[in-house]
Amino acid sequence: QVQLVESGGGLVQPGESLRLSCTASGNILRTYAMAWYRQAPGKQRELVARIFQNSITNYVDSVKGRFTISRDNAKNTMYLQMNNLKPEDTAVYYCNRAIAPFDNWGQGTQVTVSS
């Protein structure tokens, strides 16, 4: 049974930073291309950033230059460093496989950007 656990969210003001963490059962993080997704209220879940097995990364245009996805295989943890946060970044953030996400998503971590 795949287990994905996200953490690190919170309430911040515009312009501030957060770092999200994702841990997963087994060797999922080092085996697959992984991604961070987010879902804002009333909107569909969208893929925000992904990292491939060779560490190549890509991002949705709205976060380019502000978010950085990374992976620490030794700690079996994936991160999303989010800088210069904007109110439109407010959402629940999830981690999952970048291609063919697992059916059982984690609980996500809430990020709220508000003054």
Side-chain angles (χ1 to χ4, degrees):
Q1 181 80 356
V2 171
Q3 286 190 320
L4 299 163
V5 180
E6 303 89 353
S7 62
L11 171 62
V12 296
Q13 294 188 345
E16 293 186 339
S17 300
L18 281 173
R19 189 177 78 159
L20 307 183
S21 299
C22 166
T23 58
S25 54
N27 291 319
I28 291 171
L29 294 183
R30 69 187 71 184
T31 301
Y32 299 102
M34 295 295 294
W36 282 97
Y37 300 78
R38 67 185 179 188
Q39 187 166 21
K43 295 188 176 181
Q44 289 190 332
R45 187 176 290 157
E46 67 168 342
L47 190 152
V48 173
R50 56 186 174 184
I51 183 166
F52 294 90
Q53 292 92 322
N54 59 6
S55 297
I56 288 177
T57 60
N58 52 42
Y59 303 88
V60 67
D61 285 348
S62 59
V63 308
K64 280 181 182 177
R66 300 189 297 121
F67 289 13
T68 303
I69 187 172
S70 63
R71 180 179 57 214
D72 186 333
N73 289 337
K75 295 183 178 180
N76 197 31
T77 303
M78 181 173 70
Y79 302 99
L80 185 68
Q81 177 66 42
M82 305 186 296
N83 298 329
N84 190 23
L85 282 160
K86 303 177 179 181
E88 51 264 41
D89 296 319
T90 295
V92 179
Y93 285 71
Y94 303 88
C95 61
N96 207 323
R97 206 162 47 176
I99 300 169
F102 297 109
D103 289 338
N104 50 323
W105 294 74
Q107 82 288 350
T109 186
Q110 175 71 48
V111 172
T112 303
V113 185
S114 175
S115 55

